Amino acid sequence: MNVLIVTPTYNERDNLPVLAEGILKHDGARMLVVDDGSPDGTGAIADALAAQHPGRIEVMHRTGPRGLGRSYVDGLLHAIREARAEFICQMDADLSHNPEYLPDLVRAAEGNDLVIGSRYLRGVSVVNWPLHRIFLSAFGNRYIRLITSLSTSDCTSGYRCWRREALARMPIADMVSDGYSFLVEMLYEAHRRGLRIGEVPIIFIERRLGQSKLSGNVLLESLIMPWRLVFRSR
Ligand SMILES: Nc1nc2c(ncn2[C@@H]2O[C@H](COP(=O)(O)OP(=O)(O)OP(=O)(O)O)[C@@H](O)[C@H]2O)c(=O)[nH]1
Ligand SMILES: [Mg+2]
């Protein structure tokens, strides 16, 4: 494997070391942590991990307005410019995404441009989600598919793997999402460009440590984004 995993972090001090250990078990896997000045000191923990694992963990410290989308724009652009990895993955730091699935995603990406780690390929594979979260996510995906005509079963999954050349063709710097809707925006633009999109099943485990960062603003952006994408592409 020659993979770079880009992981945005905001207040994930207890989760990040566990995630890094799981990722570095795979030969040829490296990490880029994009920290948004986490008040809990996640950035310093990431720096310590990078010092412990030279050449395998890199840290980007963002300043200014924070956001998952903004962090991914910076992180993915860096990953492409670095140009060493054959595959570039995206993963949450809250241990919802098990690094054990990395080889599955990478293998599938050999015959695809983008592979999504999907919670909805075989029924609903989420662990420890309260019913309202399942409904929110299931409704969210229906809503997105209805408006955008995407056929991906899990449009909002943050566990993804790109072939580097495919990601390099994406207009990353033009993405407008601040928050989670970045994931939908990228998927939509990938689809519009005719990229081959695959899915592999994952079991998603709700975070045990730390807090969710879902805010009202970010949810509102997610509601509006599918419409914005459709009108933008006309
Ligand atoms: N750099 C950066 N990372 C963020 C930001 N918001 C969230 N993240 C990270 O993005 C990933 C997903 O965020 P979560 O808070 O787990 O969001 P979620 O998965 O929708 O919600 P929960 O799992 O319920 O907490 C985690 O690794 C977060 O630390 C942000 O503003 N900046
Ligand atoms: Mg999460």
Side-chain angles (χ1 to χ4, degrees):
M1 272 211 284
N2 177 6
V3 193
L4 178 66
I5 293 109
V6 180
T7 298
T9 55
Y10 190 73
N11 290 348
E12 303 288 2
R13 58 175 299 158
D14 296 321
N15 293 318
L16 185 61
V18 184
L19 177 71
E21 190 191 333
I23 287 177
L24 296 189
K25 265 192 210 151
H26 299 288
D27 286 334
R30 292 177 294 119
M31 267 184 103
L32 170 63
V33 177
V34 186
D35 187 65
D36 248 341
S38 300
D40 77 344
T42 301
I45 288 169
D47 286 336
L49 288 166
Q52 268 171 42
H53 303 282
R56 296 201 69 189
I57 300 184
E58 202 182 336
V59 189
M60 181 183 267
H61 296 279
R62 293 188 75 252
T63 51
R66 78 166 180 93
L68 183 73
R70 295 297 96 203
S71 296
Y72 264 134
V73 168
D74 292 351
L76 294 176
L77 284 174
H78 180 89
I80 284 169
R81 278 192 216 110
E82 183 216 58
R84 268 200 292 156
E86 201 180 336
F87 299 98
I88 295 165
C89 292
Q90 299 173 230
M91 251 176 116
D92 288 356
D94 62 354
L95 307 179
S96 298
H97 299 153
N98 189 337
E100 303 260 317
Y101 296 122
L102 274 173
D104 291 351
L105 268 89
V106 172
R107 214 172 298 123
E110 280 164 10
N112 280 294
D113 294 315
L114 166 62
V115 173
I116 314 275
S118 171
R119 297 163 285 190
Y120 305 118
L121 270 182
R122 296 180 183 161
V124 181
S125 30
V126 293
V127 175
N128 283 344
W129 253 13
L131 214 52
H132 74 269
R133 274 303 294 267
I134 296 180
F135 277 120
L136 185 67
S137 176
F139 168 79
N141 267 291
R142 289 245 160 147
Y143 177 81
I144 291 160
R145 283 203 303 266
L146 195 70
I147 297 165
T148 61
S149 305
L150 282 164
S151 54
T152 309
S153 69
D154 194 344
C155 299
T156 55
S157 170
Y159 201 175
R160 300 181 168 187
C161 180
W162 297 84
R163 267 187 337 103
R164 202 194 83 85
E165 306 92 86
L167 183 61
R169 295 207 305 270
M170 290 286 296
I172 300 171
D174 298 338
M175 299 293 110
V176 295
S177 301
D178 291 324
Y180 299 85
S181 62
F182 175 80
L183 297 165
V184 177
E185 190 178 9
M186 283 288 274
L187 179 62
Y188 184 79
E189 293 302 333
H191 175 73
R192 230 162 58 80
R193 280 165 177 70
L195 267 59
R196 295 166 301 166
I197 300 168
E199 287 187 275
V200 297
I202 61 157
I203 296 174
F204 175 99
I205 302 169
E206 175 56 345
R207 65 160 73 243
R208 273 176 232 138
L209 302 168
Q211 273 170 6
S212 175
K213 284 104 212 171
L214 276 180
S215 69
N217 277 349
V218 155
L219 276 180
L220 184 66
E221 182 185 51
S222 306
L223 277 178
I224 296 167
M225 189 56 63
W227 296 106
R228 198 165 164 186
L229 294 174
V230 170
F231 284 107
R232 176 167 92 185
S233 67
R234 285 186 160 197

